[in-house]
Amino acid sequence: MGILIPAWVDDTLVPVDKLEAHEKGLKHKAVSVFAVRDMDILIQRRALGKYHTPGLWANTCCTHPDWGESASTCAVRRLREELGIGGLYPEYRHRLEYHADVGNGMVENEVVDVFLAHVRGPLQVVPNPEEVMEIRWIGYHDLLAEVQRYPERFTPWLKIYLHHHSDTIFGPDLIISAKA
């Protein structure tokens, strides 16, 4: 058995193998983090070895909490594990649900706690090559334009977050500033 994540089976939250949850399309818990510096968002390109959506651009980091792990602890852990980022303490922004086909017969059916981490000053980022093949900072407005122009380059969840939940995730300051 692989990594156990919290998933709902017959309306009861139980530990389920992560791969099984995706293959069966079970509703499960997830965590997503956006690191933001001024008007820029840190995005990552998923490693080619990932079992779904390899090589696609996603938010700063995203994962599933371990069984019994809080969402906030998970957010800090995954910033460290995926990107080598320490010293950021993301703030909870929103809980959302989405359902998306992620290819290879797998489905993301997630209840996601989304966090925003404001970066002030220099940030050391050391991507884990098993998780991340590339990172970049991109302006909010530029990210929206790129997703619209090249949607096939981005993960389904990032497109959903940007199209349906930007106001709640990023707040009015970032969105109003980006439109100005």
Side-chain angles (χ1 to χ4, degrees):
M1 184 164 292
I3 297 169
L4 298 179
I5 64 171
W8 284 268
V9 176
D10 297 327
D11 295 325
T12 302
L13 192 61
V14 297
V16 174
D17 180 78
K18 181 173 76 167
L19 186 58
E20 178 185 353
H22 291 114
E23 290 172 338
K24 292 182 176 178
L26 298 175
K27 184 181 284 190
H28 57 276
K29 289 188 175 186
V31 170
S32 278
V33 180
F34 286 88
V36 176
R37 181 177 59 202
D38 298 318
M39 294 295 299
D40 295 333
I41 299 169
L42 180 63
I43 61 174
Q44 66 156 283
R45 190 168 173 216
R46 292 167 58 83
L48 293 178
K50 300 293 277 183
Y51 69 91
H52 73 66
T53 58
L56 297 184
W57 287 97
N59 51 297
T60 306
C61 72
C62 47
T63 192
H64 307 92
D66 293 334
W67 179 252
E69 181 180 37
S70 73
S72 59
T73 298
C74 178
V76 171
R77 174 178 61 83
R78 284 310 281 184
L79 281 169
R80 185 183 66 254
E81 290 175 352
E82 289 186 30
L83 298 163
I85 294 174
L88 283 185
Y89 300 96
E91 81 177 71
Y92 174 81
R93 296 305 294 233
H94 187 50
R95 175 171 282 166
L96 59 93
E97 292 188 33
Y98 79 92
H99 186 276
D101 181 334
V102 291
N104 296 326
M106 291 188 226
V107 172
E108 285 287 18
N109 184 2
E110 295 191 328
V111 177
V112 187
D113 288 316
V114 182
F115 291 82
L116 188 69
H118 288 282
V119 177
R120 292 162 179 51
L123 180 69
Q124 182 176 358
V125 183
V126 183
N128 175 347
E130 292 180 14
E131 299 284 342
V132 179
M133 65 186 293
E134 189 176 351
I135 60 166
R136 65 184 165 125
W137 289 94
I138 185 170
Y140 173 77
H141 181 71
D142 293 332
L143 178 58
L144 291 177
E146 193 171 319
V147 168
Q148 185 170 352
R149 187 166 183 187
Y150 305 106
E152 70 281 358
R153 296 180 183 176
F154 296 89
T155 60
W157 59 89
L158 180 60
K159 293 183 279 191
I160 290 167
Y161 296 165
L162 293 172
H163 294 314
H164 301 289
H165 303 281
S166 281
D167 289 348
T168 309
I169 294 170
F170 300 111
D173 295 339
L174 183 64
I175 293 167
I176 290 168
S177 297
K179 291 178 182 176

